[in-house]
Amino acid sequence: MFKPVNAANGVITECTKPKTAALTFDDGPYVYAEDIIKTLNAANAKGTFFVNGNNWDCIYNEDEVLRLKLAYDNGHQIASHTWSHQHLVSLSREQIDSEMSRTEDAIRKITGASPAFTRPPYEDYNDQVIDVANNRNQKLVTWDFDSGDNTGVSPEDQKKRFDDLVAKKPINVLAQMHEVYETTAHEVLPYAIKVLQGAGYKLVTVAECLGENPYLRVDAPSARDSSWHC
């Protein structure tokens, strides 16, 4: 798997603004989104939601539409995690484009905002994936810290990872978490916020930690029609 080490070739792996931390949440929208948003808001923190079109649930289902709008309306960033969470390197160019475009379209219909950032599932990309993303004006972004919530790491060990991270005093943090796990929403996130803010980090969106615009353009949301399906 080809993994560039910096943004020179179109893949962002870290924040650029000092003393910022971007907490990101993959694989939604899902049932814990409201609790994550509430926790972030209470701490005057912002997060970034990398959402799928059809993974744990269909993005067009009424509950997920409401969750996505709630995150967006509260100032959190909405970004793409592709339609169905496939290994993009195993797909054709046309299939990669479809995985990206369908998710971008759904986000635009629901929120009115056209996302400027895409996270490739499994941190899996190659030159073709980068080229398709560039042609779609998408910035590919991964992470430099993984909480381990999707690989069986216990909540206590996830908390220790945040402790160890802060002890290293990084200039900034781009953290990957997942919104589909109850323990992430209710145990690890509150702890991560406390530890990071206690160390002086400002919790911001990915776009803010990079000094970039989160969206290509912002229009009015679309009305639900027959195209809102998975």
Side-chain angles (χ1 to χ4, degrees), residues 47-95:
T48 301
F49 293 82
F50 285 94
V51 299
N52 294 121
N54 192 18
N55 186 10
W56 286 65
D57 198 2
C58 174
I59 196 170
Y60 289 121
N61 286 350
E62 289 188 9
D63 287 345
E64 308 311 347
V65 167
L66 291 174
R67 290 174 181 129
L68 199 66
K69 286 183 175 180
L70 181 67
Y72 178 77
D73 290 344
N74 277 271
H76 305 289
Q77 183 180 346
I78 308 300
S80 172
H81 196 33
T82 74
W83 185 255
S84 55
H85 207 281
Q86 297 190 48
H87 287 277
L88 297 182
V89 298
S90 69
L91 304 182
S92 69
R93 185 181 187 89
E94 292 73 21
Q95 289 171 324

Side-chain angles (χ1 to χ4, degrees), residues 35-51:
D35 291 343
I36 291 172
I37 293 164
K38 185 183 299 184
T39 299
L40 290 168
N41 290 351
N44 195 29
K46 297 299 181 186
T48 301
F49 293 82
F50 285 94
V51 299

